[in-house]
């Protein structure tokens, strides 16, 4: 990654990488991400915040960033239309 990497570029790379992790698994530390992609701490923080807003990761201050669990499927209401016909 280039020296002047933007938040959007880093978020795009991390968005692809997050799929390698299991739900609840810890992502690399901010320090490791800074060193790997040669970006500033602010860039890492903003990229992780963007992924958290998308629901891909969860962050816990002092603990790190973790892959978020997939969203729960919405339960469809039961079909009761047959009752109208029967009554």
């Amino acid at each position: 990654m280039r020296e002047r990497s933007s938040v959007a570029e880093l978020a795009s790379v991390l968005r692809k990488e997050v799929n390698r992790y299991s739900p609840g698994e810890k992502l690399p530390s901010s320090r490791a991400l800074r060193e790997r992609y040669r970006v500033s701490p602010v860039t890492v923080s903003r990229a992780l915040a963007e992924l958290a807003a998308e629901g891909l990761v969860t962050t816990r201050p002092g603990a790190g960033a973790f892959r978020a669990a997939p969203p729960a499927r919405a339960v469809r209401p039961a079909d009761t239309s047959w009752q109208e016909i029967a009554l």
Side-chain angles (χ1 to χ4, degrees):
M1 196 170 275
R2 296 186 320 265
E3 285 286 328
R4 294 188 178 191
S5 194
S6 71
V7 173
E9 289 173 343
L10 181 60
S12 176
V13 170
L14 293 178
R15 199 174 284 114
K16 293 173 187 170
E17 278 191 23
V18 79
N19 292 326
R20 295 185 331 192
Y21 296 94
S22 301
E25 189 176 355
K26 187 174 182 184
L27 275 62
S29 68
S30 294
R31 180 177 292 167
L33 293 173
R34 286 192 332 250
E35 291 172 2
R36 183 184 307 166
Y37 298 109
R38 298 177 187 232
V39 294
S40 73
V42 174
T43 301
V44 172
S45 177
R46 288 182 180 172
L48 288 175
E50 188 174 314
L51 296 179
E54 294 172 8
L56 296 174
V57 299
T58 57
T59 56
R60 289 184 241 152
F66 301 83
R67 180 173 178 193
R73 291 185 174 176
V75 178
R76 291 179 23 189
D79 181 21
T80 58
S81 62
W82 64 271
Q83 293 176 344
E84 293 175 10
I85 297 169
L87 295 176

